[in-house]
Amino acid sequence: MSDSSPDRPTAPVLDVWCELQCPDCRSALDDLRALRARYGDRLELRLRHFPLEKHRHAFAAAQAAEEAWAQGRGWPYVEAVLERVEELDRAGEPFLVEVARELGLDAEEFDTALIDGRHILIVDADQAEGKAIGVTGTPTYVIGGERLDGGKSQEGLRERVEEIADRLLAEQRG
């Protein structure tokens, strides 16, 4: 939740277009953790869904992540699933529910959310927006109007994100 009082400018936003069955997104986890640690609430880090057709459990995983956010544990859930991409490949939706249980979330509610599709519209909207701005793979970062494609290479991406974030924060201070 951001404080939108006139004294405090809103934090710059880093949108991370991600897919929870993507090995490249798992590789980006360390960068995302480092960015969250460095900037805290001075940078709004938003996970955006971009499930790829080649990964058959990616759409369900995106919905499960939204349920984790609804239950207040979005980032821990996303990290736990990304760290175990191979298990998601093998086990599919039962694995998504099991991770929720391991994190102390309401696993039955996860199961119900995957069945009733309550988060489909969020996932569809993210994917459509991603396509509209030219996202073709994951991870892709968007900050300060600049798109950085991490699907081709992670090399130097965190440094580039930090440069842009630092510039945006400096501009806010004026």
Side-chain angles (χ1 to χ4, degrees):
M1 200 146 219
S2 62
D3 177 2
S4 56
S5 68
D7 302 343
R8 182 163 178 208
T10 55
V13 173
L14 170 61
D15 281 327
V16 181
W17 300 88
C18 184
E19 194 238 66
L20 297 187
Q21 201 175 345
C22 169
D24 290 332
C25 290
R26 177 181 53 202
S27 300
L29 259 182
D30 288 340
D31 286 345
L32 296 178
R33 287 181 180 126
L35 289 165
R36 289 187 13 235
R38 176 173 175 175
Y39 293 101
D41 63 0
R42 293 180 308 131
L43 177 67
E44 184 182 344
L45 193 63
R46 293 193 307 204
L47 183 83
R48 306 297 300 274
H49 302 291
F50 202 77
L52 303 169
E53 286 182 25
K54 66 182 178 181
H55 295 135
R56 63 190 175 121
H57 304 300
F59 196 79
Q63 293 177 72
E66 284 302 315
E67 181 58 30
W69 254 284
Q71 293 189 30
R73 300 283 315 273
W75 279 114
Y77 185 83
V78 164
E79 290 183 11
V81 172
L82 278 173
E83 286 171 347
R84 296 159 61 188
V85 168
E86 294 81 7
E87 286 180 68
L88 177 56
D89 284 343
R90 279 194 310 276
E93 292 185 22
F95 168 74
L96 297 169
V97 175
E98 180 55 34
V99 171
R101 187 173 290 110
E102 290 169 9
L103 291 174
L105 297 168
D106 184 339
E108 287 183 24
E109 198 59 34
F110 266 77
D111 202 30
T112 302
L114 289 170
I115 292 166
D116 71 19
R118 68 183 72 159
H119 302 296
I120 286 176
L121 291 178
I122 293 170
V123 177
D124 282 346
D126 273 4
Q127 192 166 37
E129 185 180 334
K131 286 179 180 172
I133 64 168
V135 174
T136 57
T138 57
T140 296
Y141 305 88
V142 177
I143 182 170
E146 195 168 332
R147 189 177 75 235
L148 308 166
D149 184 356
K152 292 181 177 71
S153 170
Q154 302 284 318
E155 192 64 39
L157 269 184
R158 184 170 89 209
E159 293 78 10
R160 185 70 190 115
V161 168
E162 288 173 347
E163 285 172 22
I164 296 168
D166 290 345
R167 185 188 77 229
L168 293 171
L169 289 165
E171 287 170 4
Q172 279 185 348
R173 289 191 297 268

